[in-house]
Amino acid sequence: AKNAGGGRVAWFDPAMDRLAARDARLGADLRQAVARGELSLVYQPIVELPDGGLAGVEALVRWQHPEHGQVSPALFIPLAERNGTIIELGRWILEQVTAQAARWDRALGAHAPRRISVNISPRELHEPGFVAGVAALLARTGTDPARITAEITETAVLGTGPGLDAVRELHELGLPVALDDFGTGQSSLSLLVDCPVQVLKVDKSFVDGVTAGTAQAVIVDSLIAITTGLGIQAVAEGVETEAQARRLHQAGYRYAQGFHFFRPMTGDQVTSLLSPVALG
Ligand code: C2E
Ligand code: CA
Ligand code: CA
Ligand code: CA
């Protein structure tokens, strides 16, 4: 299937070819990004309804590329999964989170965030020794496992296998488990039975329609019945308006996250937000 002239593979769509080339370049850059100090973490508060008090934070990674500027994690995390960089990246992220937790403790004492969510990729869960690595890091840094919520997606634990085993081990280690983006993948309610889940993050796509009396609203309401019955905490994601926040609270939601409350911010900004002086 070779192109006689250029020696290129002829069944390659040129657009695909460019994408693959971009992926390869960006992937190579990503391998160096940690060492070059281009990565950082921001933290988005998860709030309690209806008052907006802080219930926890979710760590989100940022990449400041020297030429392309900010690259979205929605782009580079899947890339890191494909080229395997996610293993090193995930380790770095968890290390940063434990260091930040210690800084918050020193600066804020009893006001420091108690619950910090960290996104864990499917590839990490499938990596042999992943949970042992987490356990070692938490022990070395003196971090209480109960403080770190592991946010996982449905695709990571579909079916039985290493993904589900790893989640069970994380849970046994003492980490609360949150099922992220619930409702977007090949969701199955049986997952809530098979997998130890303490938190369900209801995807933004459902929250978007919650005030319109749409099918999304019915699902948002039903999920409260299900999670309450199972003793699972529900977090509504991507809340952008006061009307949505009110409607979710009426539906029984206690926790929410979204631009209506807070955008992701630096660790220092979280410190300012929570410092007793700022709270007056
Ligand atoms: P996610 O885990 O579902 O994270 C929530 C995303 O929604 C974040 O985007 C956040 O900034 C955004 N968001 C929060 N509230 C609102 C809102 O009200 N409106 C809108 N439009 N968006 C909102 P971000 O930081 O760009 O991350 C995108 C995805 O990249 C994450 O989705 C997660 O899947 C992945 N990701 C980000 N950081 C990490 C990380 O440290 N590790 C791993 N494995 N994945 C990460
Ligand atoms: Ca998440
Ligand atoms: Ca999510
Ligand atoms: Ca998402």
Side-chain angles (χ1 to χ4, degrees):
K2 289 256 167 124
N3 178 323
R8 285 201 314 130
V9 181
W11 34 259
F12 239 55
D13 177 336
M16 284 281 297
D17 212 357
R18 272 198 303 278
L19 261 180
R22 185 206 62 182
D23 255 39
R25 273 197 307 275
L26 215 52
D29 291 350
L30 190 54
R31 287 186 201 285
Q32 325 243 22
V34 169
R36 292 182 176 165
E38 294 165 9
L39 297 175
S40 60
L41 290 187
V42 288
Y43 300 86
Q44 185 178 31
I46 297 168
V47 303
E48 247 173 90
L49 295 175
D51 52 304
L54 193 130
V57 296
E58 176 179 1
L60 297 160
V61 66
R62 294 291 176 260
W63 182 15
Q64 181 70 31
H65 189 283
E67 292 141 50
H68 308 305
Q70 282 279 336
V71 183
S72 168
L75 180 78
F76 75 79
I77 290 291
L79 185 61
E81 283 241 312
R82 287 196 293 277
N83 78 5
T85 318
I86 191 69
I87 301 303
E88 193 198 331
L89 197 60
R91 235 178 258 138
W92 180 84
I93 289 167
L94 198 55
E95 247 168 58
Q96 297 302 303
V97 163
T98 58
Q100 181 63 67
R103 280 199 296 278
W104 280 328
D105 285 348
R106 284 194 297 275
L108 295 164
H111 297 283
R114 288 313 310 162
R115 310 191 60 172
I116 308 168
S117 282
V118 177
N119 292 285
I120 311 282
S121 290
R123 176 91 176 248
E124 292 178 84
L125 289 173
H126 288 89
E127 178 79 1
F130 170 71
V131 178
V134 172
L137 173 66
L138 296 182
R140 174 164 64 77
T141 57
T143 309
D144 179 6
R147 199 171 180 187
I148 309 293
T149 297
E151 289 204 4
I152 59 154
T153 53
E154 297 149 68
T155 45
V157 289
L158 271 187
T160 50
L164 188 54
D165 289 344
V167 172
R168 290 195 175 123
E169 289 169 28
L170 283 174
H171 179 248
E172 278 162 27
L173 188 59
L175 285 81
V177 173
L179 202 48
D180 204 359
D181 301 345
F182 190 77
T184 57
Q186 295 136 295
S187 319
S188 156
L189 290 173
S190 67
L191 210 55
L192 300 179
V193 178
D194 299 334
C195 189
V197 173
Q198 284 72 54
V199 180
L200 192 78
K201 299 196 76 173
V202 178
D203 193 70
K204 179 178 190 305
S205 56
F206 294 106
V207 171
D208 283 343
V210 79
T211 52
T214 55
Q216 283 100 309
V218 176
I219 291 169
V220 161
D221 289 344
S222 310
L223 284 176
I224 268 298
I226 291 168
T227 52
T228 304
L230 293 173
I232 294 172
Q233 296 180 338
V235 178
E237 289 197 281
V239 179
E240 293 184 341
T241 69
E242 171 69 34
Q244 287 169 347
R246 228 190 341 252
R247 174 67 176 74
L248 288 161
H249 177 59
Q250 280 163 7
Y253 282 78
R254 269 191 65 196
Y255 303 102
Q257 185 176 1
F259 294 170
H260 169 63
F261 300 102
F262 295 104
R263 291 191 175 247
M265 58 181 81
T266 65
D268 285 347
Q269 286 171 321
V270 173
T271 304
S272 306
L273 183 71
L274 293 177
S275 81
V277 177
L279 293 174

